[in-house]
Amino acid sequence: QVQLQESGGGLVQAGGSLRLSCVTSARSLSNYAMGWFRQAPGKEREFVASITGSRGGITYSDSIEGRYRISRDNAKNTVYLQMNSLKPEDTAVYYCAARLNYCSGGQCRSVREYPYWGQGTQVTVSS
């Protein structure tokens, strides 16, 4: 079992930045695929970014337009999502997710491939 806890969400003006954190109970992040997903009002939960494997292979959704960066600190068992140039359409609940072992291809992007989830952190971007 892996426990995840997100933090760092809040209210920010358009053009601003936030850094989300996901603290995990995983013994080693290298043994997991870690993903960020988001769910906006009236929309399905969508993939944002993932980081996986011993070398931290990264996958991003095209929808973020290069504005986000995922990273991890293995010593702190923490995954981060740096969000820059935020837009109102980025408003959503952001979720951290984990999958034992690495992910590849569509596996990294699929909600159903991640058995462990945090409770989410709200990001609201005002116009």
Side-chain angles (χ1 to χ4, degrees):
Q1 298 293 324
V2 178
Q3 294 177 318
L4 311 173
Q5 184 171 341
E6 305 96 333
S7 63
L11 177 64
V12 65
Q13 289 185 313
S17 298
L18 287 172
R19 189 180 75 161
L20 306 184
S21 298
C22 174
V23 179
T24 81
S25 64
R27 295 172 59 189
S28 174
L29 292 182
S30 296
N31 294 329
Y32 293 85
M34 302 296 303
W36 285 100
F37 294 78
R38 67 184 183 185
Q39 188 163 21
K43 296 185 178 180
E44 296 182 346
R45 191 169 300 185
E46 68 171 347
F47 171 77
V48 175
S50 67
I51 184 165
T52 187
S54 62
R55 288 178 284 185
I58 292 172
T59 300
Y60 291 110
S61 169
D62 290 341
S63 66
I64 66 173
E65 303 172 322
R67 297 175 296 115
Y68 293 9
R69 185 179 73 253
I70 189 171
S71 63
R72 69 187 184 189
D73 186 333
N74 292 339
K76 298 183 183 298
N77 300 120
T78 300
V79 179
Y80 303 96
L81 185 69
Q82 178 67 46
M83 305 185 294
N84 300 317
S85 302
L86 286 164
K87 303 175 181 180
E89 50 262 46
D90 293 317
T91 295
V93 177
Y94 283 71
Y95 296 91
C96 180
R99 167 190 170 88
L100 182 63
N101 299 316
Y102 69 91
C103 65
S104 61
Q107 211 174 43
C108 303
R109 302 173 180 267
S110 175
V111 168
R112 292 189 173 185
E113 294 294 334
Y114 293 83
Y116 305 111
W117 292 84
Q119 293 188 335
T121 185
Q122 176 71 49
V123 172
T124 302
V125 184
S126 62
S127 60

